[in-house]
Amino acid sequence: MVVIMTQKRTLDLDKVLAKATEMIESRGLSETTMPNLAKALGVRSQSLYHYVKNRSQLLSLVAASRIRLLYQDLLKQLVGLSGHEALFKFADVVRDRLLEDQALATLLYHMDEFSDDSEVVKEVVKILDLGDQLQVDTEHVVSQHALVGAVLGYVFLDRFTDGQEKVESPREAEENYHEMVWRLVSPSVQQSNA
């Protein structure tokens, strides 16, 4: 009696998302297509549709999984902090994660391509809700939208000028970043006197 063993595929959603993340980081967003992903995983393209409906959902799920990691990191690092200290930590953790996580930064740069009910948007809302819970005197503080926009703008400028000659030392960059955040969250003397 001859027994023929067939190799069972061990593909699952986590493996699909991990490979898609790897592809975004190494090949870029435009090269992260369903056919290219299937080839990288060693499966037929049709197999991927057992896990995701389309490329848009795939990218949304990748971004959502990366944002969940950011959320967990924020929860750990914000324990015991409040006020401006918590706000600075929140801004630093988000900035540092986006500078380290090329896939997440790339996907957030393309947020306008995701529908309002996508997984990534749901996870971004959780991050924003966490930011809203920080205990800060909000009388003179700009909107969280402006703060998040400033942090993302800083990250994208830093990422896209990578490889170009830096005019700031790392220490100066850190100080300038904190100055930007401070100006957004603290009333200026001029505002107080107005």
Side-chain angles (χ1 to χ4, degrees):
M1 172 185 216
V2 175
V3 177
I4 299 176
M5 303 277 296
T6 59
Q7 182 180 359
K8 184 177 179 182
R9 292 273 179 212
T10 58
L11 190 64
D12 60 30
L13 182 59
D14 290 336
K15 289 179 183 174
V16 170
L17 298 180
K19 184 56 79 174
T21 301
E22 181 184 311
M23 287 182 68
I24 292 166
E25 291 174 345
S26 65
R27 297 173 64 183
L29 195 58
S30 64
E31 289 294 313
T32 308
T33 63
M34 298 295 271
N36 287 346
L37 178 59
K39 184 176 179 180
L41 288 166
V43 299
R44 296 178 320 176
S45 292
Q46 296 85 340
S47 299
L48 296 176
Y49 294 100
H50 293 288
Y51 305 99
V52 294
K53 292 188 295 191
N54 52 38
R55 181 177 182 267
S56 181
Q57 184 187 33
L58 169 71
L59 298 178
S60 175
L61 291 172
V62 167
S65 71
R66 310 308 296 167
I67 292 172
R68 279 188 212 100
L69 295 173
L70 169 60
Y71 184 82
Q72 293 304 316
D73 195 21
L74 282 166
L75 288 178
K76 283 185 227 171
Q77 298 219 28
L78 291 171
V79 170
L81 302 179
S82 63
H84 287 107
E85 185 181 14
L87 202 54
F88 278 113
K89 181 58 83 173
F90 181 87
D92 285 352
V93 170
V94 171
R95 176 206 53 198
D96 293 347
R97 176 60 62 116
L98 292 176
L99 288 172
E100 293 168 7
D101 191 334
Q102 183 176 345
L104 179 57
T106 299
L107 290 164
L108 287 180
Y109 189 75
H110 294 275
M111 271 300 285
D112 62 328
E113 297 176 21
F114 298 110
S115 66
D116 289 345
D117 63 343
S118 66
E119 288 302 310
V120 65
V121 170
K122 292 174 187 174
E123 295 301 323
V124 166
V125 168
K126 288 179 186 176
I127 296 286
L128 295 175
D129 288 346
L130 180 61
D132 281 340
Q133 294 173 28
L134 301 177
Q135 298 171 9
V136 176
D137 172 24
T138 58
E139 184 179 342
H140 298 289
V141 176
V142 297
S143 73
Q144 184 178 357
H145 183 80
L147 178 62
V148 169
V151 171
L152 291 175
Y154 180 91
V155 168
F156 295 140
L157 283 174
D158 193 61
R159 180 165 297 286
F160 292 123
T161 59
D162 197 30
Q164 296 179 8
E165 185 177 330
K166 303 279 185 185
V167 294
E168 301 172 310
S169 70
R171 191 179 115 268
E172 290 171 325
E174 182 80 3
E175 289 171 358
N176 289 335
Y177 174 75
H178 284 151
E179 177 69 20
M180 175 195 72
V181 173
W182 180 251
R183 287 177 184 256
L184 288 170
V185 301
S186 297
S188 71
V189 175
Q190 292 173 353
Q191 286 176 325
S192 298
N193 293 334

